[in-house]
Amino acid sequence: MVSVSGSEFHQELLFAFGGGDRNIIVAVLDGAVDRTHDCFVGAPLTPLDTAVMQRSGEDAPPSAQGTHLASLIFGQPCRSVEGIAPLCRGLIAPIFSEDRPLCAQADLADAMTRALDHGAQVILIGAGSFEQPWYPDRMLARVITRCNAGNVLIITIPGRHGCSTLLRSCGAANLLSVGALDGAGHLLEDLDDNSVELGIAAPGESVSGAALEGRVVQRSNPNVAAALVAGAAALLLSVQRSAGLSVNPAAVAEAIRMTATPQGTTVGSASLATWTGRKSLEAAAAYLTGRYEGIYASSLFEAWYRARAGATRSDHAAFRPRA
């Protein structure tokens, strides 16, 4: 059984493959992000004017959840929160707002369309309340067809707070549902009735990320695990580019599934397929490229960082070079 905390998983993935590639684009569909947080200084983020933002207005407050998720991927080196793909470009496409936490299918389709228009290769959809019934309207079905045609990877969570059931009913071909494990290897949410939706599980307990008003907090939920896997997917797309391969999100999704390790905890009658840390990422990179070479997995900055991994966060914030 896996015994890895979410914070350990997060730290294991930091600075892998040099932090990603500016040509890789990840869209975060959740709430608005507080881009004034220090961790986003220098981050290549683009806010999108979704239908939700148009209704909420320019003065709409940022979301604590959206800010936390974005920081796990795009938090810059040497800041209060460090993301696992800080060099990749991010699109912030709000689908939830403080005055309307329910995401309508039309709003989801609008945000996904805008993300595709801006070149998103990975779309992370946060947890929340989604409009029912669980059959798609034509607008959402069309955007999923476009995702399939463009080979875009969609990452979300299974269960009642995710939209994986809805997206599967739309025919999403490249969909990865991510469950979250606690430190003992048990799912944070009961998925007995939704085991078919679970693609992989990853540690998602007590992971530090950005909060409103410049704070840093720990969160434990499937959203956290999904964000870390989305960042890892961005890193693997970067590996494809560095290896001279075509960027292929579907191949990345397959590599993530194929390198997940069955664990003792079960969902229904099946053992969980789990990512536990750096070795999972390295195995997926080897699966994609057909070989493993140390140059894929490290950079000078990372080697320097790893040599001081025993220091406290406050210590290495003081002596690490500015990116």
Side-chain angles (χ1 to χ4, degrees):
M1 183 179 295
V2 65
S3 181
V4 180
S5 72
S7 59
E8 290 172 335
F9 183 53
H10 180 215
Q11 292 295 311
E12 275 283 296
L13 300 185
L14 287 178
F15 308 114
F17 312 122
D21 186 300
R22 286 294 171 106
N23 292 287
I24 304 305
I25 304 174
V26 181
V28 177
L29 276 60
D30 197 275
V33 171
D34 181 5
R35 291 180 294 120
T36 66
H37 197 285
D38 82 283
C39 76
F40 296 123
V41 174
L45 297 180
T46 301
L48 302 184
D49 190 24
T50 62
V52 168
M53 288 304 294
Q54 291 172 8
R55 290 196 300 267
S56 300
E58 296 181 357
D59 297 329
S63 157
Q65 176 172 283
T67 300
H68 191 272
L69 295 184
S71 71
L72 299 181
I73 303 173
F74 306 113
Q76 295 297 287
C78 308
R79 303 294 179 182
S80 59
V81 178
E82 294 169 317
I84 63 178
L87 298 187
C88 296
R89 286 187 285 161
L91 304 173
I92 307 303
I95 58 174
F96 303 117
S97 63
E98 293 295 326
D99 59 342
R100 194 173 190 274
L102 175 69
C103 177
Q105 288 193 34
D107 291 340
L108 178 60
D110 171 77
M112 294 180 72
T113 298
R114 292 174 190 273
L116 294 176
D117 289 343
H118 284 77
Q121 295 141 319
V122 178
I123 296 177
L124 170 65
I125 303 176
S129 297
F130 292 89
E131 183 182 57
Q132 296 189 30
W134 290 111
Y135 53 83
D137 65 21
R138 285 177 293 178
M139 185 176 177
L140 185 60
R142 283 197 299 268
V143 75
I144 293 301
T145 298
R146 185 177 169 189
C147 286
N148 292 344
N151 190 19
V152 175
L153 173 57
I154 304 170
I155 297 178
T156 184
I157 70 167
R160 63 186 181 277
H161 296 301
C163 61
S164 58
T165 299
L166 175 61
L167 297 180
R168 288 189 191 283
S169 70
C170 294
N174 200 12
L175 176 66
L176 185 62
S177 296
V178 181
L181 302 174
D182 62 20
H186 302 295
L187 283 168
L188 291 176
E189 287 194 348
D190 183 6
L191 298 179
D192 287 345
D193 296 330
N194 299 281
S195 59
V196 69
E197 296 181 8
L198 184 61
I200 66 164
E205 183 180 50
S206 302
V207 180
S208 295
L212 303 182
E213 300 178 350
R215 296 178 296 116
V216 175
V217 300
Q218 289 188 336
R219 286 177 174 257
S220 302
N221 53 53
N223 256 347
V224 169
L228 295 178
V229 171
L235 294 179
L236 291 171
L237 290 172
S238 303
V239 166
Q240 289 179 317
R241 278 185 54 84
S242 68
L245 303 172
S246 298
V247 172
N248 187 342
V252 165
E254 180 185 8
I256 290 173
R257 292 189 185 97
M258 293 301 293
T259 55
T261 305
Q263 301 296 327
T265 300
T266 61
V267 176
S269 60
S271 296
L272 288 175
T274 305
W275 258 35
T276 56
R278 180 56 175 273
K279 290 189 180 299
S280 301
L281 185 63
E282 292 173 350
Y287 185 93
L288 286 171
T289 61
R291 64 190 187 279
Y292 176 76
E293 297 178 6
I295 191 171
Y296 292 156
S298 63
S299 64
L300 290 176
F301 181 52
E302 183 190 3
W304 175 89
Y305 176 82
R306 295 290 172 190
R308 293 158 176 80
T312 64
R313 176 168 293 275
S314 59
D315 286 341
H316 55 67
F319 61 65
R320 286 167 62 190
R322 293 294 165 181

